[in-house]
């Protein structure tokens, strides 16, 4: 009989979002008239920007004409899109990133998991706790961990984040090889200053570590002093890979387009002790296992960089940020201890009366019919916290906040 990858059996059974769905379904079965408002999963709700739609319609027409038809495209993405990304997202911010270092893909989620293909089995890996669960689960699948004991996988280094350290992990005292950082952060909504990222870059360079920097939410940064890219920090090209996405700025969660930056000078060690360029390995990996993003979608992504696209995307991000502000203000006035939600679409709150994350989830569902995400689902140190997402219609956000403030008012 064929055998399986046993590492999959180590994954925790009740994954967060299925468990949320199960509890909501059970509640709705016995309360069929309840008007549920979901502020849980971080999916966008507002339609695609017009500039992107127009570009994609034009691209569909291109596909209908032999002279402009496109078959297989370059696995790394079309040059015209990579060029726009390099100049507008990076060079315009003083980051010396070349178009050839941009790899267009169908998702930051896939890339942050797939990147492990090009790394060895014996790296020491650090994640924050709480954390975007994909980083942990993909390492479990790849066999980089032992079993899950009390909510933590053996073999991973967990860096706790809480209100005590402003949701910014302390730089480890031990040596780790791979570090996942995410700013603006999912789930806490925390942001990183240049000084903070500089400390990580210095650590990584001193320890020959690689930072996986997930900037999927960079568009939500409104504070001009905060870095959008890790490459704004001197030395980061020697030690960091960056993941970006069109999902949350341009509403591409269903359309699918993202990219990963692998600087050419970035190296890691082979078994024979030689230093190998990670760019070459990622290029080889993508050329072999990935067929590129569709021409139509890449044209849609390119439109993000047009004048009209930039204005429409700003309006979209501003809309969600206004939702976040309403949520922060209302929850604060109802007596909640609230974090994030300023340069990020996530609001991270302390559960009242020391309720566990799941007890608060049930209480909120039953008393207000509002669904959020229990902090403990993002890691053991998320216990006692709760995530509310600003991705929703204004009407739903206002209604949810009205119900919560009435129920919990201080
Ligand atoms: N990275 C973080 C931190 C996320 O929260 C998400 C989605 O929620 C992603 C990546 C996924 O991005 P994409 O839609 O490009 O796969």
């Amino acid at each position: 009989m064929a055998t399986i990858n046993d590492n999959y059996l180590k994954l925790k059974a009740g994954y967060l979002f299925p468990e949320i769905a199960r509890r909501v379904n059970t509640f709705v079965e016995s309360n069929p008239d309840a008007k549920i408002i979901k502020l849980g999963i971080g999916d966008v709700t507002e339609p695609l920007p017009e500039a992107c739609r127009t570009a994609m319609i034009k691209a569909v027409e291109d596909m209908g004409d032999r002279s402009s038809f496109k078959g297989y495209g370059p696995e790394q993405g079309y040059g015209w899109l990579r060029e726009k990304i390099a100049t507008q997202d990076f060079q315009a911010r003083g980051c010396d990133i070349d178009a050839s270092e941009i790899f267009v893909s169908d998702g930051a989620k896939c890339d942050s998991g797939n990147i492990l293909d090009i790394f060895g089995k014996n790296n020491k890996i650090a994640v924050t706790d709480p954390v975007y669960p994909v980083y942990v689960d993909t390492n479990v699948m790849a066999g980089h961990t032992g079993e899950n004991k009390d909510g933590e996988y053996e073999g991973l280094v967990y860096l706790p984040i809480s209100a005590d350290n402003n949701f910014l992990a302390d730089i480890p005292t031990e040596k780790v090889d791979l570090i996942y950082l995410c700013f603006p952060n999912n789930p806490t909504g925390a942001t990183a200053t240049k000084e903070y990222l500089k400390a990580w870059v210095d650590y990584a360079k001193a320890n020959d570590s690689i930072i996986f920097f997930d900037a999927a939410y960079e568009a939500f940064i409104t504070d001009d002093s905060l870095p959008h890219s890790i490459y704004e920090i001197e030395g980061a090209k020697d030690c960091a890979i960056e993941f970006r996405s069109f999902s949350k700025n341009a509403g591409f969660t269903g359309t699918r387009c993202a990219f990963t930056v692998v600087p050419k000078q970035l190296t890691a060690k082979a078994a024979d002790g030689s230093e190998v360029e990670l760019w070459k390995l990622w290029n080889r990996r993508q050329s072999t296992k990935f067929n590129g993003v569709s021409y139509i979608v890449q044209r849609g992504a390119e439109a993000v960089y047009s004048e009209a696209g930039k204005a429409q995307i700003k309006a979209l991000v501003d809309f969600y940020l206004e939702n976040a502000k309403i949520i922060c203000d209302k929850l604060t006035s109802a007596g909640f201890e609230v974090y994030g939600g300023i340069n990020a679409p996530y609001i991270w709150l302390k559960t009242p009366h020391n309720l566990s994350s799941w007890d608060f989830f049930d209480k909120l569902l039953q008393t207000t019919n509002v669904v959020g995400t229990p902090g403990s689902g993002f890691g053991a140190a998320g216990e006692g916290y709760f995530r509310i997402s600003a991705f929703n219609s204004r009407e739903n956000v206002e209604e949810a906040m009205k119900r919560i403030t009435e129920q919990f008012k201080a």
Side-chain angles (χ1 to χ4, degrees):
M1 189 184 271
T3 60
I4 60 154
N5 175 351
D6 279 280
N7 295 311
Y8 278 63
L9 304 181
K10 295 178 197 161
L11 293 165
K12 281 210 305 194
Y15 179 65
L16 179 61
F17 293 110
E19 176 60 16
I20 291 175
R22 194 189 65 74
R23 291 190 190 213
V24 173
N25 289 342
T26 308
F27 178 76
V28 169
E29 270 166 30
S30 38
N31 301 275
D33 296 331
K35 291 205 166 36
I36 303 283
I37 299 179
K38 292 185 177 166
L39 299 177
I41 297 178
D43 196 1
V44 296
T45 53
E46 302 310 298
L48 277 184
E50 194 193 344
C52 302
R53 282 183 282 129
T54 306
M56 285 193 275
I57 291 166
K58 157 93 176 44
V60 170
E61 294 303 331
D62 291 348
M63 296 298 265
D65 185 330
R66 177 168 277 116
S67 66
S68 49
F69 170 78
K70 299 281 184 298
Y72 289 122
E75 291 92 351
Q76 302 80 356
Y78 284 100
W80 33 261
L81 177 57
R82 299 170 88 196
E83 204 57 60
K84 294 229 165 55
I85 293 170
T87 50
Q88 297 202 30
D89 280 332
F90 296 100
Q91 292 162 21
R93 290 191 179 279
C95 310
D96 177 25
I97 295 293
D98 187 73
S100 62
E101 296 171 310
I102 310 282
F103 291 83
V104 177
S105 79
D106 58 350
K109 175 160 102 171
C110 336
D111 284 357
S112 68
N114 291 336
I115 199 75
L116 295 175
D117 271 13
I118 65 168
F119 286 92
K121 294 277 171 224
N122 296 319
N123 287 306
K124 212 167 190 41
I125 297 162
V127 292
T128 63
D129 180 8
V131 71
Y132 177 50
V134 172
Y135 312 150
V136 172
D137 288 359
T138 51
N139 274 291
V140 176
M141 291 171 176
H144 297 167
T145 73
E147 297 294 332
N148 190 301
K149 296 249 167 73
D150 303 324
E152 293 194 346
Y153 286 96
E154 289 168 338
L156 288 185
V157 175
Y158 287 90
L159 308 173
I161 52 176
S162 69
D164 294 341
N165 56 12
N166 289 322
F167 303 97
L168 297 174
D170 295 340
I171 309 287
T173 43
E174 64 187 301
K175 184 171 159 38
V176 297
D177 302 302
L178 302 176
I179 306 138
Y180 290 83
L181 295 179
C182 173
F183 291 108
N185 189 257
N186 177 14
T188 67
T191 48
T193 60
K194 285 188 178 156
E195 293 69 34
Y196 180 70
L197 290 187
K198 174 83 169 67
W200 274 109
V201 167
D202 289 347
Y203 169 89
K205 289 188 68 157
N207 290 282
D208 282 332
S209 334
I210 302 283
I211 297 171
F212 294 148
F213 190 74
D214 188 337
Y217 298 98
E218 62 77 32
F220 292 82
I221 295 174
T222 51
D223 180 339
D224 288 341
S225 72
L226 297 175
H228 288 240
S229 165
I230 193 154
Y231 304 117
E232 289 179 55
I233 313 304
E234 204 192 326
K237 278 182 76 180
D238 296 322
C239 63
I241 289 175
E242 183 163 306
F243 304 108
R244 290 274 190 111
S245 176
F246 295 99
S247 283
K248 309 296 164 89
N249 61 347
F252 270 48
T253 53
T255 307
R256 310 305 312 146
C257 199
F259 59 92
T260 288
V261 187
V262 186
K264 288 208 165 131
Q265 68 208 60
L266 195 58
T267 60
K269 204 176 272 175
D272 66 5
S274 61
E275 280 193 28
V276 177
E277 289 160 42
L278 291 170
W279 183 93
K280 283 192 179 154
L281 299 190
W282 186 243
N283 192 43
R284 187 72 172 85
R285 192 260 171 219
Q286 290 299 78
S287 310
T288 304
K289 291 196 180 181
F290 185 56
N291 260 328
V293 176
S294 92
Y295 169 72
I296 298 161
V297 169
Q298 289 192 62
R299 281 295 185 201
E302 184 194 26
V304 164
Y305 299 94
S306 65
E307 286 313 311
K310 280 190 270 196
Q312 289 160 21
I313 271 142
K314 184 173 181 314
L316 210 47
V317 168
D318 285 350
F319 172 78
Y320 291 126
L321 283 174
E322 183 62 25
N323 279 352
K325 184 173 177 346
I326 293 169
I327 295 169
C328 285
D329 290 350
K330 294 286 178 192
L331 292 179
T332 305
S333 73
F336 286 94
E337 204 177 309
V338 171
Y339 302 94
I342 296 172
N343 294 285
Y346 296 120
I347 293 88
W348 187 244
L349 60 92
K350 187 95 196 71
T351 58
H353 313 300
N354 288 325
L355 284 177
S356 77
S357 298
W358 278 110
D359 284 350
F360 181 67
F361 173 92
D362 289 333
K363 184 166 182 181
L364 199 63
L365 176 61
Q366 282 153 18
T367 58
T368 68
N369 303 338
V370 173
V371 178
T373 313
S376 56
F378 297 98
E383 181 57 272
Y385 288 95
F386 199 77
R387 192 190 77 174
I388 303 262
S389 157
F391 292 119
N392 218 308
S393 66
R394 183 61 45 79
E395 192 188 352
N396 276 350
V397 165
E398 283 177 343
E399 173 61 22
M401 290 308 115
K402 184 163 157 279
R403 291 186 204 167
I404 293 177
T405 36
E406 273 168 17
Q407 179 67 31
F408 290 91
K409 59 180 166 277

